[in-house]
Amino acid sequence: MKLIKQYFPELSEVQLQQFEAIAEVYKDWNQKINVVSRKDIDEIYIRHVLHSLGIAKVQTFLPGSKILDVGTGGGFPGIPLAILFPETQFTLVDSIGKKIKVVEEVVDALELKNVTAVNDRVENISGEYDFIVSRAVAVMPSFVHWVKGKIAKESKHGRKNGILYLKGGDLSEELKPYRTVEIFELSELFEEDFFDTKKVVYLPMKYRG
């Protein structure tokens, strides 16, 4: 929790309480429905919360904007981002029902009013979004195919609407087809060793395949 305060010093009292509560809520639910490994639960702030918030270090979300979190699992990166941006609407999607059950319970426990959880495949989700976020659920070409047509054409932010993707390792082959892609090294934003190979990949809407 100290790390959250260190990297995000402007948090309100409500946001601090929500981030404080997140570890207990997940520990409790993880005993009933296992969505996070035991090792990761013990390091939830670095491996899940702060990792998710790496996206916020690259892109802030304006009030009223709409974000789609694809393959959210237990609610990452969507839930930490929803705490950080309470006036932004988040839709968290996962095809596995028990994971969405945990997301719904966490959202209720943290009293988040800006999160909708959906148990479905992303291909079946309607609507358009300013940004689509995810944590390494597939290689980029597959992901781009899944979310085709779901990115709003009009950009409200300084950066064009598109995909913000948390990934690690060597991505040069995977991203070779995308000339407009930008890669942000999380090791330059967070000093912990966990982030040494972690990245935020930004692919604007007008990508070339």
Side-chain angles (χ1 to χ4, degrees):
M1 184 61 200
K2 270 193 291 188
L3 290 175
I4 308 302
K5 291 180 187 174
Q6 176 188 327
Y7 289 114
F8 297 91
E10 307 297 318
L11 296 172
S12 70
E13 203 54 48
V14 170
Q15 288 169 315
L16 285 170
Q17 287 168 4
Q18 288 169 325
F19 278 124
E20 193 82 56
I22 218 168
E24 274 315 306
V25 174
Y26 272 104
K27 274 181 189 166
D28 183 41
W29 271 99
N30 213 51
Q31 288 169 354
K32 303 169 194 171
I33 302 173
N34 188 255
V35 292
V36 178
S37 75
R38 186 160 291 143
K39 183 182 179 185
D40 282 7
I41 273 287
D42 292 339
E43 296 185 50
I44 193 164
Y45 285 110
I46 286 185
R47 290 172 172 263
H48 292 282
V49 180
L50 199 55
H51 189 209
S52 298
L53 295 176
I55 288 174
K57 286 291 189 187
V58 170
Q59 177 66 53
T60 57
F61 300 131
L62 292 171
S65 54
K66 294 167 69 180
I67 311 299
L68 179 65
D69 176 5
V70 176
T72 189
F76 301 101
I79 285 177
L81 290 170
I83 294 173
L84 198 63
F85 301 106
E87 293 177 52
T88 297
Q89 296 304 310
F90 289 83
T91 301
L92 277 55
V93 182
D94 203 285
S95 60
I96 299 173
K98 69 175 186 175
K99 292 184 176 180
I100 287 297
K101 165 73 173 166
V102 172
V103 170
E104 289 172 337
E105 296 294 343
V106 173
V107 165
D108 283 348
L110 299 179
E111 298 183 5
L112 292 171
K113 308 296 182 199
N114 60 331
V115 176
T116 303
V118 182
N119 175 207
D120 207 340
R121 293 171 61 83
V122 67
E123 295 94 327
N124 301 328
I125 301 298
S126 58
E128 292 185 341
Y129 298 84
D130 298 284
F131 288 98
I132 297 179
V133 301
S134 190
R135 279 211 307 183
V137 294
V139 293
M140 189 60 89
S142 299
F143 191 79
V144 166
H145 177 70
W146 293 349
V147 302
K148 196 172 181 183
K150 300 188 192 306
I151 295 171
K153 292 183 174 43
E154 187 185 334
S155 297
K156 303 170 185 165
H157 302 76
R159 184 174 271 130
K160 275 185 181 174
N161 294 351
I163 293 166
L164 290 161
Y165 206 54
L166 289 162
K167 272 212 130 178
D170 181 2
L171 305 176
S172 51
E173 274 305 308
E174 180 180 332
L175 299 177
K176 199 179 275 184
Y178 306 104
R179 298 176 198 172
T180 54
V181 76
E182 287 182 64
I183 298 172
F184 301 87
E185 301 286 345
L186 285 181
S187 58
E188 295 175 9
L189 302 169
F190 301 134
E191 58 190 28
E192 289 68 33
D193 292 346
F194 175 73
F195 298 105
D196 282 355
T197 62
K198 302 286 191 288
K199 302 165 178 67
V200 176
V201 178
Y202 164 60
L203 187 62
M205 182 186 69
K206 288 188 179 174
Y207 47 78
R208 293 176 188 165

